[in-house]
Amino acid sequence: MKDRLTAEDSILWNNVILGDQQAYRELYDIYADMLFRYGLRYVKDTSTIKDCIQDLFTSLYHHRHNLARNVNIRFYLLRSFRRKIHQVVKKNAAVLHTASPEEYFSIVYEPDAEQLQIAAEQQQEMLRLLARELNELPARQKEVLFLKFNCSLSYEEVAGIMKISVPTCRTLAYRAFRQLRSNMEKAPLLPLMFLLTAWLSRQHYKF
Amino acid sequence: MPDKKHLKLEDLLGNDHEPPAQSDDPLQQEMAAAVQRMITGAGTETWDAADKALLWENIVTELVPKPSVYRYLFPKIAAAAVVLLTVAAWLFWPRPAHPLVQFARGQHIDSVTDTRLILGQQSAVTLKGKNASLVYGGKGVTINADSTLASAAPYNTLLVPYGRRARLQLEDGTIVQLNAGSRLVYPAVFRDKRREVYLEGEAFFEVAPNAASPFFVYASGIETEVLGTSFNISAYPDDKQQSLVLASGSVRTQLASQRIFGKHSRQLKPGEMATVNMENENLQVSTVNITTYTAWKDGRLLFYSVPLKDILKKLTRYYNIQLELSSAQPGLETCSGDLDLEENLENVLDVICATNSLRYERQGQRIILKEKN
């Protein structure tokens, strides 16, 4: 993967370090939605998420003199944000004596409504099966997939955010996909895969 | 890498620094696409734009340069630290003894047979007679009411050997009566805000009142702040116990080992005695009969339920002759009485022996008290 720290990002981040308010505005416009969605994976209460976002941006500003240069902004923001969210989750969970904050990562996979509409009945079944299998995955695997695909991060960055080693991170993703594949192949609907394939390839080339 | 035809879904994940592999197997290829689509399609909630803008309005108010909390607090923290350190240092630093106490402790004392006045470090004046008297005034010190001596040295020392006593009037009018075997260190003229003297042995003080200049008596085990008053201090280095008996007025007393007048200091009322046990450094206060402790200055020895060996110790000092009990006698039996010390020693010993079924024998420089056969 190429170096994703673009010149544009670099300038933006330098201005953030300099304390330029416009840079913070830009940073917020670009990344706040992603943080908001990531926050929803852990807490349903949006005001808590917004508190964390506000906290993140203000502490970023007040500690700007200590910020590292040449960082992947997305990575940096997600990592700091996850820490703050985890603190909140931990605080809420302390009363319930439950597992570590990571276990709270939740995401619901479902077939796209539009896809379902145009798909044949068997294909619809295939998509539902796929969604069900994805939803069965453990929370940690889901988080790796989310950070990797939804937030476009490298394994190295995902590992850095989740505080795990890079091989562990890669194994989590690999295991998720292998589980998906083997369960899909075991399904009685396997013959229909070819139909699905034909349909998906049509869809695929449209994009 | 396996044949492209046999690449499975999990093989298509790719690595950080290379593009994801493409399987030739259309099933795997399309499954990969489907999985990826479903993953990226999930968790894509939209955040209401107005709500997002509102949050920015909150954030932007906090993005103003404000003085750093630490920079703002630093002078206060620093000041607090300095105050704390100063207080701690003042409390716990081994503080050098007062100059007068330092001087007194460093003094080298030859054993003397006559009362002696030492001016400063060297020059000494021998005072004849059993009861020497010294009066300090503007011109110097008048000895035994005839010769006057200029006393230029800052600290004077009066040494009273066993068998002698002395009466001293200090420059401020305070009268000190020193018992046998005592040493008093004092300034010829009180120049400081505090009037300070150092005592070893026993003395009865009648301190001239002066509210502007408190009077302090330092002894090895007991320190006393005097507020215009009369009292007796007994602080012999060879006694296990040092004591102060207040006759009148008010004093505050504490252990000499105590750094400051604090919770271990006690203010005494007349008739009270503060005792310091030199072994466990314990300060205790009890009510006593004052005369018992001050009678010596009038040439009498009063005692009530006092162990015999303690009485003999006092007589040894007073008459300057070694008085001993034969080894069979532990000397712990107590006795009470009123001895006239103006009598010669034989008469005093006759009284003691008569009341304790003892007899005494002179053995050179010692007198041994033995059980009657």
Side-chain angles (χ1 to χ4, degrees), chain B residues 28-95:
Chain B
Q28 295 296 336
Q29 213 179 65
E30 299 314 326
M31 187 148 67
V35 167
Q36 201 159 333
R37 277 178 66 93
M38 199 166 280
I39 289 172
T40 52
T44 54
E45 298 89 342
T46 49
W47 183 8
D48 177 54
D51 196 29
K52 183 185 172 184
L54 205 63
L55 182 63
W56 172 252
E57 294 307 315
N58 287 341
I59 293 172
V60 79
T61 58
E62 292 181 39
L63 302 188
V64 285
K66 64 172 180 186
S68 158
V69 175
Y70 298 106
R71 220 170 293 167
Y72 171 68
L73 279 177
F74 180 75
K76 290 183 180 180
I77 292 168
V82 165
V83 168
L84 271 175
L85 281 173
T86 311
V87 169
W90 186 70
L91 282 176
F92 299 113
W93 209 265
R95 73 181 53 187

Coordinates of all heavy atoms in Angstrom, one line a residue, chain B residues 28-95:
Chain B
Q28 N -15.1 -17.5 -5.8 CA -14.4 -16.9 -4.7 C -14.3 -15.4 -5.0 O -14.4 -14.6 -4.0 CB -12.9 -17.4 -4.7 CG -12.8 -18.9 -4.3 CD -13.4 -19.2 -2.9 OE1 -13.4 -18.3 -2.0 NE2 -13.9 -20.4 -2.7
Q29 N -14.1 -15.0 -6.2 CA -14.0 -13.6 -6.6 C -15.2 -12.8 -6.2 O -15.2 -11.8 -5.6 CB -13.7 -13.6 -8.1 CG -12.9 -12.4 -8.5 CD -12.7 -12.5 -10.0 OE1 -13.7 -12.3 -10.8 NE2 -11.5 -12.7 -10.5
E30 N -16.3 -13.4 -6.6 CA -17.6 -12.7 -6.3 C -18.0 -12.8 -4.9 O -18.6 -11.9 -4.4 CB -18.7 -13.3 -7.3 CG -18.4 -13.2 -8.7 CD -17.9 -11.8 -9.1 OE1 -18.3 -10.8 -8.5 OE2 -17.0 -11.7 -10.0
M31 N -17.6 -13.9 -4.2 CA -18.0 -14.0 -2.8 C -17.2 -12.9 -2.1 O -17.7 -12.2 -1.2 CB -17.6 -15.3 -2.2 CG -18.1 -15.5 -0.8 SD -18.5 -17.1 -0.4 CE -17.0 -18.0 -0.4
A32 N -15.9 -12.7 -2.5 CA -15.1 -11.6 -1.9 C -15.8 -10.3 -2.1 O -15.9 -9.5 -1.2 CB -13.7 -11.6 -2.5
A33 N -16.3 -10.0 -3.3 CA -16.9 -8.8 -3.6 C -18.2 -8.6 -2.7 O -18.4 -7.5 -2.2 CB -17.2 -8.7 -5.1
A34 N -18.9 -9.7 -2.6 CA -20.2 -9.6 -1.8 C -19.9 -9.3 -0.4 O -20.6 -8.5 0.3 CB -20.9 -10.9 -2.0
V35 N -18.9 -10.1 0.1 CA -18.5 -9.9 1.6 C -18.1 -8.4 1.8 O -18.5 -7.8 2.7 CB -17.4 -10.9 2.0 CG1 -16.8 -10.5 3.3 CG2 -18.0 -12.3 2.0
Q36 N -17.2 -8.0 0.9 CA -16.7 -6.6 1.1 C -17.8 -5.6 1.0 O -17.9 -4.6 1.8 CB -15.6 -6.3 0.1 CG -14.7 -5.2 0.5 CD -13.4 -5.3 -0.3 OE1 -12.9 -6.3 -0.7 NE2 -12.8 -4.1 -0.4
R37 N -18.7 -5.8 0.1 CA -19.9 -4.9 0.0 C -20.7 -4.8 1.2 O -21.2 -3.8 1.7 CB -20.7 -5.3 -1.2 CG -20.2 -4.8 -2.5 CD -21.1 -5.3 -3.6 NE -22.5 -4.7 -3.5 CZ -22.8 -3.6 -4.2 NH1 -22.0 -3.0 -5.0 NH2 -24.0 -3.1 -4.1
M38 N -20.9 -6.1 1.8 CA -21.8 -6.1 3.0 C -21.1 -5.5 4.2 O -21.8 -4.8 5.0 CB -22.2 -7.6 3.3 CG -23.4 -7.6 4.1 SD -24.1 -9.3 4.2 CE -25.1 -9.3 2.7
I39 N -19.8 -5.7 4.2 CA -19.1 -5.1 5.4 C -19.1 -3.6 5.3 O -19.4 -2.9 6.2 CB -17.6 -5.7 5.4 CG1 -17.6 -7.1 5.8 CG2 -16.8 -4.9 6.4 CD1 -16.2 -7.8 5.7
T40 N -18.7 -3.1 4.1 CA -18.7 -1.6 4.0 C -20.0 -1.0 4.0 O -20.2 0.2 4.3 CB -17.9 -1.2 2.7 OG1 -18.5 -1.9 1.6 CG2 -16.4 -1.6 2.8
G41 N -21.1 -1.8 3.8 CA -22.4 -1.3 3.8 C -23.0 -1.2 5.2 O -24.0 -0.5 5.4
A42 N -22.3 -1.8 6.2 CA -22.8 -1.8 7.5 C -22.2 -0.7 8.3 O -21.1 -0.2 8.0 CB -22.5 -3.2 8.2
G43 N -22.8 -0.3 9.3 CA -22.3 0.8 10.2 C -22.1 2.1 9.5 O -21.1 2.8 9.7
T44 N -23.0 2.4 8.6 CA -22.9 3.7 7.9 C -24.0 4.7 8.2 O -24.5 5.4 7.4 CB -23.0 3.4 6.3 OG1 -24.2 2.6 6.1 CG2 -21.8 2.5 5.9
E45 N -24.3 4.7 9.5 CA -25.3 5.6 9.9 C -24.9 7.1 9.6 O -23.8 7.4 9.6 CB -25.5 5.6 11.5 CG -26.0 4.2 12.0 CD -24.8 3.3 12.3 OE1 -23.7 3.5 11.8 OE2 -25.1 2.3 13.0
T46 N -25.9 7.9 9.2 CA -25.5 9.3 8.9 C -25.9 10.1 10.2 O -26.8 9.8 10.9 CB -26.3 9.8 7.7 OG1 -27.7 9.5 7.9 CG2 -25.8 9.2 6.4
W47 N -25.0 11.1 10.3 CA -25.2 12.0 11.4 C -25.8 13.3 10.9 O -25.4 13.9 9.9 CB -23.8 12.3 12.0 CG -23.7 13.2 13.2 CD1 -24.8 13.6 14.0 CD2 -22.6 13.7 13.8 NE1 -24.4 14.3 15.0 CE2 -23.0 14.4 15.0 CE3 -21.2 13.7 13.5 CZ2 -22.1 15.1 15.8 CZ3 -20.3 14.3 14.4 CH2 -20.8 15.0 15.5
D48 N -26.9 13.6 11.5 CA -27.7 14.8 11.1 C -26.8 16.0 11.0 O -26.1 16.3 12.0 CB -28.8 15.0 12.1 CG -29.6 16.3 11.8 OD1 -30.1 16.4 10.6 OD2 -29.7 17.2 12.6
A49 N -26.7 16.6 9.9 CA -25.8 17.7 9.6 C -25.9 18.9 10.6 O -25.0 19.5 11.0 CB -26.0 18.2 8.1
A50 N -27.2 19.2 10.9 CA -27.5 20.3 11.8 C -26.9 20.0 13.2 O -26.3 20.8 13.9 CB -29.0 20.5 11.9
D51 N -27.1 18.7 13.6 CA -26.6 18.3 14.9 C -25.0 18.3 14.9 O -24.4 18.8 15.9 CB -27.0 16.8 15.2 CG -26.9 16.4 16.6 OD1 -27.0 17.3 17.5 OD2 -26.7 15.2 16.9
K52 N -24.4 17.9 13.8 CA -23.0 18.0 13.7 C -22.5 19.4 13.8 O -21.5 19.7 14.5 CB -22.5 17.3 12.4 CG -21.0 17.3 12.2 CD -20.7 16.8 10.8 CE -19.2 16.9 10.6 NZ -18.8 16.5 9.2
A53 N -23.2 20.3 13.1 CA -22.8 21.7 13.1 C -22.9 22.3 14.5 O -22.1 23.1 14.9 CB -23.6 22.5 12.1
L54 N -24.0 21.9 15.2 CA -24.2 22.4 16.5 C -23.0 22.0 17.5 O -22.6 22.8 18.3 CB -25.5 21.8 17.0 CG -26.3 22.6 18.1 CD1 -26.7 23.9 17.6 CD2 -27.5 21.8 18.6
L55 N -22.6 20.7 17.3 CA -21.5 20.3 18.2 C -20.2 21.1 17.9 O -19.5 21.4 18.8 CB -21.2 18.8 17.9 CG -20.1 18.2 18.8 CD1 -20.5 18.3 20.3 CD2 -19.8 16.8 18.4
W56 N -20.0 21.4 16.6 CA -18.8 22.3 16.3 C -18.9 23.6 17.0 O -17.9 24.1 17.5 CB -18.7 22.5 14.8 CG -17.6 23.5 14.5 CD1 -17.8 24.7 14.0 CD2 -16.2 23.3 14.6 NE1 -16.6 25.3 13.9 CE2 -15.6 24.5 14.2 CE3 -15.5 22.2 15.1 CZ2 -14.2 24.6 14.3 CZ3 -14.1 22.3 15.1 CH2 -13.5 23.6 14.7
E57 N -20.1 24.1 17.1 CA -20.3 25.4 17.8 C -19.8 25.3 19.2 O -19.2 26.2 19.8 CB -21.7 25.9 17.7 CG -22.2 26.3 16.3 CD -21.3 27.3 15.6 OE1 -20.9 28.2 16.2 OE2 -21.0 27.0 14.4
N58 N -20.1 24.1 19.8 CA -19.7 23.9 21.2 C -18.1 23.8 21.3 O -17.5 24.3 22.2 CB -20.3 22.6 21.7 CG -21.7 22.8 22.1 OD1 -22.2 23.9 22.2 ND2 -22.4 21.7 22.1
I59 N -17.6 23.1 20.3 CA -16.2 22.8 20.3 C -15.4 24.1 20.1 O -14.4 24.4 20.8 CB -15.8 21.8 19.2 CG1 -16.4 20.4 19.6 CG2 -14.3 21.7 19.1 CD1 -16.2 19.4 18.5
V60 N -15.9 24.9 19.2 CA -15.1 26.1 18.8 C -14.9 27.1 19.9 O -13.9 27.8 20.0 CB -15.7 26.8 17.5 CG1 -16.9 27.6 17.9 CG2 -14.6 27.6 16.8
T61 N -15.9 27.1 20.9 CA -15.7 28.0 22.0 C -14.6 27.6 22.9 O -14.0 28.4 23.6 CB -17.0 28.0 22.9 OG1 -17.3 26.7 23.3 CG2 -18.2 28.5 22.1
E62 N -14.2 26.3 22.8 CA -13.1 25.8 23.7 C -11.8 25.9 23.0 O -10.7 25.6 23.6 CB -13.4 24.4 24.1 CG -14.6 24.2 25.0 CD -14.8 22.8 25.5 OE1 -13.8 22.1 25.7 OE2 -16.0 22.4 25.6
L63 N -11.8 26.2 21.7 CA -10.5 26.3 20.9 C -10.0 27.7 21.0 O -9.7 28.3 19.9 CB -10.7 25.9 19.5 CG -11.3 24.5 19.2 CD1 -11.2 24.1 17.7 CD2 -10.5 23.4 20.0
V64 N -9.8 28.2 22.1 CA -9.3 29.6 22.3 C -8.0 29.4 23.1 O -8.0 28.7 24.1 CB -10.2 30.6 22.9 CG1 -11.3 31.0 21.9 CG2 -10.9 30.0 24.2
P65 N -7.0 30.2 22.7 CA -5.7 30.1 23.5 C -6.0 30.6 24.9 O -6.5 31.7 25.1 CB -4.8 31.0 22.8 CG -5.4 31.3 21.5 CD -6.9 31.2 21.6
K66 N -5.9 29.7 25.8 CA -6.0 30.1 27.2 C -4.7 29.8 27.9 O -4.0 28.9 27.5 CB -7.2 29.4 27.9 CG -7.0 27.9 28.0 CD -8.1 27.3 28.9 CE -7.9 25.8 29.0 NZ -8.9 25.1 29.7
P67 N -4.4 30.6 28.9 CA -3.1 30.3 29.6 C -3.1 28.9 30.1 O -4.1 28.4 30.7 CB -3.1 31.3 30.8 CG -4.5 31.8 30.9 CD -5.2 31.7 29.6
S68 N -2.0 28.3 29.9 CA -1.9 26.9 30.4 C -2.2 26.8 31.9 O -1.8 27.6 32.7 CB -0.5 26.4 30.1 OG -0.2 25.3 31.0
V69 N -2.9 25.8 32.2 CA -3.3 25.6 33.6 C -2.1 25.5 34.5 O -2.0 26.1 35.6 CB -4.2 24.3 33.7 CG1 -4.5 24.0 35.2 CG2 -5.5 24.5 33.0
Y70 N -1.1 24.8 33.9 CA 0.1 24.6 34.7 C 0.9 25.9 34.9 O 1.4 26.2 35.9 CB 1.0 23.5 34.1 CG 0.2 22.2 34.1 CD1 -0.3 21.7 32.9 CD2 0.0 21.5 35.3 CE1 -1.0 20.5 32.9 CE2 -0.7 20.3 35.3 CZ -1.2 19.8 34.1 OH -1.9 18.6 34.1
R71 N 1.0 26.6 33.8 CA 1.7 27.8 33.8 C 1.1 28.8 34.8 O 1.7 29.5 35.5 CB 1.8 28.5 32.4 CG 3.1 29.1 32.1 CD 3.2 29.4 30.6 NE 3.2 28.3 29.8 CZ 3.0 28.3 28.5 NH1 2.8 29.4 27.9 NH2 3.1 27.2 27.8
Y72 N -0.3 28.8 34.8 CA -1.0 29.7 35.7 C -0.8 29.3 37.1 O -0.6 30.1 38.0 CB -2.5 29.6 35.3 CG -3.4 30.3 36.2 CD1 -3.4 31.7 36.3 CD2 -4.3 29.6 37.0 CE1 -4.3 32.3 37.2 CE2 -5.2 30.2 37.8 CZ -5.2 31.6 37.9 OH -6.0 32.2 38.8
L73 N -0.8 28.0 37.4 CA -0.7 27.5 38.7 C 0.8 27.4 39.2 O 1.0 27.4 40.4 CB -1.3 26.0 38.8 CG -2.8 26.0 38.9 CD1 -3.2 24.5 38.9 CD2 -3.3 26.6 40.2
F74 N 1.7 27.5 38.3 CA 3.1 27.2 38.7 C 3.6 28.1 39.9 O 4.1 27.6 40.8 CB 4.1 27.3 37.5 CG 5.5 27.1 37.9 CD1 5.9 25.8 38.1 CD2 6.4 28.1 38.1 CE1 7.2 25.5 38.5 CE2 7.7 27.9 38.5 CZ 8.1 26.6 38.7
P75 N 3.4 29.4 39.7 CA 3.9 30.2 40.9 C 3.2 29.9 42.2 O 3.9 29.8 43.2 CB 3.4 31.7 40.5 CG 3.1 31.6 39.0 CD 2.7 30.2 38.7
K76 N 2.0 29.5 42.2 CA 1.3 29.1 43.4 C 1.9 27.8 44.0 O 2.1 27.7 45.2 CB -0.2 29.0 43.2 CG -0.9 30.3 42.9 CD -2.4 30.1 42.8 CE -3.1 31.5 42.5 NZ -4.5 31.4 42.3
I77 N 2.0 26.9 43.0 CA 2.5 25.6 43.5 C 4.0 25.8 44.0 O 4.3 25.2 45.1 CB 2.5 24.6 42.3 CG1 1.1 24.2 41.9 CG2 3.3 23.3 42.6 CD1 0.9 23.5 40.6
A78 N 4.7 26.5 43.3 CA 6.1 26.8 43.7 C 6.1 27.4 45.1 O 6.9 27.0 46.0 CB 6.8 27.7 42.7
A79 N 5.3 28.4 45.3 CA 5.2 29.1 46.5 C 4.8 28.2 47.6 O 5.5 28.2 48.7 CB 4.2 30.3 46.5
A80 N 3.8 27.4 47.4 CA 3.4 26.4 48.4 C 4.5 25.4 48.7 O 4.7 25.1 49.9 CB 2.2 25.6 47.9
A81 N 5.2 25.0 47.7 CA 6.3 24.0 47.9 C 7.4 24.7 48.8 O 7.9 24.1 49.7 CB 6.9 23.6 46.6
V82 N 7.7 25.9 48.5 CA 8.7 26.6 49.2 C 8.3 26.7 50.7 O 9.1 26.5 51.6 CB 9.0 28.0 48.6 CG1 9.8 28.9 49.6 CG2 9.7 27.9 47.3
V83 N 7.0 27.1 50.9 CA 6.5 27.3 52.3 C 6.6 25.9 53.0 O 7.1 25.8 54.1 CB 5.1 27.8 52.3 CG1 4.5 27.6 53.6 CG2 5.0 29.2 51.8
L84 N 6.2 24.9 52.3 CA 6.2 23.5 52.9 C 7.6 23.1 53.3 O 7.9 22.6 54.4 CB 5.6 22.5 52.0 CG 4.1 22.3 52.1 CD1 3.6 21.4 51.0 CD2 3.8 21.8 53.4
L85 N 8.5 23.3 52.3 CA 9.9 22.9 52.6 C 10.5 23.7 53.7 O 11.2 23.2 54.5 CB 10.8 23.2 51.3 CG 10.6 22.1 50.2 CD1 11.3 22.5 48.9 CD2 11.1 20.8 50.7
T86 N 10.2 25.0 53.8 CA 10.7 25.9 54.8 C 10.2 25.4 56.2 O 11.0 25.2 57.1 CB 10.3 27.3 54.6 OG1 10.6 27.7 53.3 CG2 11.0 28.2 55.6
V87 N 8.9 25.1 56.3 CA 8.4 24.6 57.5 C 9.0 23.3 57.9 O 9.4 23.1 59.0 CB 6.8 24.5 57.4 CG1 6.3 23.8 58.6 CG2 6.2 25.9 57.3
A88 N 9.1 22.4 56.9 CA 9.6 21.1 57.2 C 11.1 21.2 57.6 O 11.5 20.6 58.6 CB 9.6 20.2 55.9
A89 N 11.8 22.1 56.9 CA 13.2 22.2 57.3 C 13.4 22.8 58.7 O 14.2 22.3 59.5 CB 13.9 23.2 56.3
W90 N 12.5 23.8 59.0 CA 12.5 24.4 60.3 C 12.2 23.4 61.4 O 12.8 23.4 62.5 CB 11.5 25.6 60.4 CG 11.6 26.3 61.6 CD1 12.7 27.2 62.0 CD2 10.7 26.4 62.7 NE1 12.4 27.7 63.3 CE2 11.2 27.3 63.7 CE3 9.4 25.8 62.9 CZ2 10.5 27.5 64.8 CZ3 8.7 26.1 64.0 CH2 9.2 26.9 65.0
L91 N 11.2 22.5 61.1 CA 10.8 21.5 62.1 C 11.8 20.4 62.2 O 12.1 19.9 63.3 CB 9.5 20.9 61.7 CG 8.2 21.8 61.9 CD1 7.0 21.1 61.4 CD2 8.1 22.0 63.4
F92 N 12.4 19.9 61.1 CA 13.2 18.7 61.2 C 14.7 18.9 61.0 O 15.4 17.9 61.3 CB 12.6 17.7 60.1 CG 11.2 17.4 60.3 CD1 10.2 17.8 59.4 CD2 10.8 16.6 61.4 CE1 8.9 17.5 59.6 CE2 9.5 16.3 61.6 CZ 8.5 16.7 60.7
W93 N 15.1 20.0 60.6 CA 16.5 20.2 60.5 C 17.2 20.1 61.8 O 16.7 20.7 62.8 CB 16.8 21.6 59.8 CG 18.0 21.6 59.0 CD1 19.3 22.0 59.4 CD2 18.1 21.2 57.7 NE1 20.2 21.8 58.4 CE2 19.5 21.3 57.3 CE3 17.3 20.7 56.7 CZ2 20.0 21.0 56.1 CZ3 17.7 20.4 55.5 CH2 19.1 20.5 55.1
P94 N 18.2 19.4 62.0 CA 18.9 19.4 63.3 C 19.4 20.8 63.6 O 20.4 21.2 63.0 CB 20.0 18.4 63.1 CG 20.2 18.2 61.6 CD 18.9 18.5 61.0
R95 N 18.7 21.5 64.4 CA 19.1 22.9 64.6 C 20.3 23.0 65.6 O 20.4 22.2 66.5 CB 17.9 23.7 65.0 CG 17.5 23.5 66.4 CD 16.3 24.4 66.7 NE 15.2 24.2 65.7 CZ 14.1 24.9 65.7 NH1 14.0 25.9 66.5 NH2 13.2 24.7 64.8

